Amino acid sequence: MPVDPHLLTVFTVTTIVALVTPGPDMLFVLGCGMRGGARAGLLATLGVITGDALYVVAAAAGLAVLLTAFPVVFTVLRFAGAAYLVYLGVQIIRKRKNAQADDPAAGGMSGRRAFLNGVVSSAANPQTFTFMVAFLPQFIDPAAGPVWVQFAVLGCVLIVLEFLADGTVGILAGRIGGWLRERQVVRRRIDTATGSLFIGLGVRLAAER
């Protein structure tokens, strides 16, 4: 087995505990689901785990060392992601009175936009970077086999667990939001809350160290 069974068990339990605790990614998926429906919530989850997969590949390839050596690159990435989230939140609030703002059929966030925003949200989140380069190596045993294989296995476990956790939240939020969006006044309040949530995530991202 490419990963020590004991380390894999500890990693799985620790990851589950971390994932069930609401964080930026889960809140982002929640907002997308509430505004765009179950499909948008699920695609937002796919976007988030795509961003996580990029970090897994980077960590396995040693690119994390480069980002650590040149923190200015990471800082630029972080502020760019924060600015985008704030922009997205402002746009949602501005268009809250327009039922066709994003998706003429559903009146909510389109699946494509939810996916792309999920990628940006995850890839620009410094907590994701820290988790991948500081947390994953603790469960790597060089004596057990190639390090990159162990990174890949742990990364796959992480992605599957995150998909199950955040995907469930996105689908449930989408179904509840779908019922609420049928009521115009409530839909506007959902858009305001979602926009405020994205702005808050952007501010939080910019303030991370």
Side-chain angles (χ1 to χ4, degrees):
M1 189 173 183
V3 180
D4 181 270
H6 174 70
L7 290 178
L8 181 59
T9 300
V10 175
F11 172 79
T12 301
V13 173
T14 305
T15 301
I16 291 175
V17 172
L19 289 176
V20 297
T21 303
D25 288 343
M26 183 176 288
L27 293 176
F28 178 82
V29 170
L30 175 67
C32 289
M34 288 292 290
R35 188 163 192 263
R39 180 172 180 272
L42 190 59
L43 287 173
T45 301
L46 291 175
V48 167
I49 64 176
T50 297
D52 289 350
L54 294 176
Y55 273 126
V56 172
V57 173
L63 296 180
V65 177
L66 177 63
L67 290 177
T68 303
F70 299 96
V72 65
V73 176
F74 180 64
T75 300
V76 171
L77 176 65
R78 175 164 58 89
F79 279 108
Y84 182 72
L85 286 175
V86 171
Y87 168 78
L88 180 63
V90 171
Q91 289 297 102
I92 291 175
I93 293 176
R94 285 184 61 246
K95 296 179 179 179
R96 66 186 182 278
K97 294 183 180 180
N98 182 1
Q100 311 299 327
D102 292 298
D103 187 346
M109 177 176 290
S110 68
R112 179 174 179 273
R113 176 173 292 185
F115 174 80
L116 294 177
N117 289 340
V119 175
V120 173
S121 175
S122 175
N125 187 350
Q127 291 183 342
T128 303
F129 174 82
T130 302
F131 184 87
M132 295 301 175
V133 301
F135 182 72
L136 285 182
Q138 297 181 40
F139 301 92
I140 299 295
D141 180 9
V147 171
W148 72 269
V149 174
Q150 296 183 62
F151 262 110
V153 172
L154 295 178
C156 287
V157 171
L158 169 66
I159 288 172
V160 170
L161 292 176
E162 184 169 14
F163 176 77
L164 293 175
D166 289 353
T168 299
V169 170
I171 291 174
L172 292 177
R175 292 182 176 177
I176 295 174
W179 178 79
L180 293 175
R181 284 194 305 276
E182 294 177 357
R183 293 150 179 80
Q184 188 66 17
V185 175
V186 176
R187 181 186 183 281
R188 292 176 182 174
R189 291 177 180 174
I190 290 176
D191 286 350
T192 300
T194 303
S196 300
L197 174 63
F198 286 177
I199 292 173
L201 290 175
V203 172
R204 176 178 175 176
L205 180 60
E208 290 285 352
R209 293 290 184 270

